[in-house]
Amino acid sequence: MTTFGQIVARQSALTLWCLVFVITAVSIRMSGPTGEQTRFVLNQDNLCLQAAARSAVDLSRAVTGNRVQISSVEVGPMEADAIAEYSSDSNQIRFSSSSFFTADEVLHAAGHEVVHAIFDKAELNPYVDHPCWDSRLLVEEVAAEVLGAHIAGRVRTKQGDDGEALTRRLVGEYRSQCDWSAPGNFRRRIWTLAPRLEPERYAAEPLYSIAVHYGPLWMVDAIDEICREHPDLWVAAHVIAGRFIEPIDPPVVTGQPSPSTAPP
């Protein structure tokens, strides 16, 4: 998800939430439902966001060749650290009803989630229950941010605006948050703050869900270059996965040869 919550834009709702979280170390407690659940009803702002989000997703799919199907685009309550999320089970993209979006942020979020849909449907990063999978998830999230910025720029260009300027701005803002040497960047703050938190008082999951979106600068730059080298963004996603997502061998069973030593 833009996750799982993250659109890294200078004025995005998630960025503001992250900043508050990192500075104040707010504890987010996940509690079960109590009493009768209140049915969520879209207000006028939510309906406007839903219309904008549906349009942005359609436009994002169009510039990637409509190679993935999205069953629906909805607006509703989400976890505090998420502003948009793609569900592989339902092929749905959901935007947070409590976040505040600009037009560029909606477009970038849509592109980000469409990239997740591409990775899912093309099986570029199949899930495995293995500790190393977290590093593969980081690659997919960096790809979703950078490739999502290129998708947003393509859409703006088709609308007659300066899409290249939008892409450069979005990638630049994301890059600054991944730059360990930049003052106040999220990547450094998260990894500096995490060891200081008391597990019994603060939930680790919000920090993890933010941190997994911020990769090293060399990866950001390499993925940006791949997007520029491959005008077909569907192809670009495949190149990114082929270069950075390493397969995880199945566990070795005692008495049987390992995959690396088994005869072809």
Side-chain angles (χ1 to χ4, degrees), residues 9 34 41 54-55 63 78 114 158 187 209 232:
T34 56
V41 178
R54 288 175 175 175
S55 175
V63 299
M78 297 182 65
V114 165
K158 291 186 69 173
R187 185 166 177 248
S209 66
D232 187 326

Side-chain angles (χ1 to χ4, degrees), residues 132-172:
C132 291
W133 193 80
D134 286 353
S135 65
R136 289 168 38 166
L137 177 59
L138 176 65
V139 172
E140 182 175 338
E141 292 294 351
V142 175
E145 277 296 301
V146 177
L147 185 50
H150 280 266
I151 290 172
R154 296 284 183 86
V155 171
R156 282 285 184 260
T157 297
K158 291 186 69 173
Q159 294 173 331
D161 296 328
D162 190 347
E164 176 60 25
L166 175 61
T167 295
R168 286 197 306 268
R169 177 172 66 81
L170 293 175
V171 172

Side-chain angles (χ1 to χ4, degrees), residues 30 50 71 86 89 98 109 124 129 148 162 189 213 232 240:
M30 304 302 295
Q50 184 167 267
S71 62
Y86 164 76
D89 294 333
S98 61
L124 300 180
D129 187 10
D162 190 347
R189 286 185 183 181
H213 289 76
D232 187 326
I240 292 166

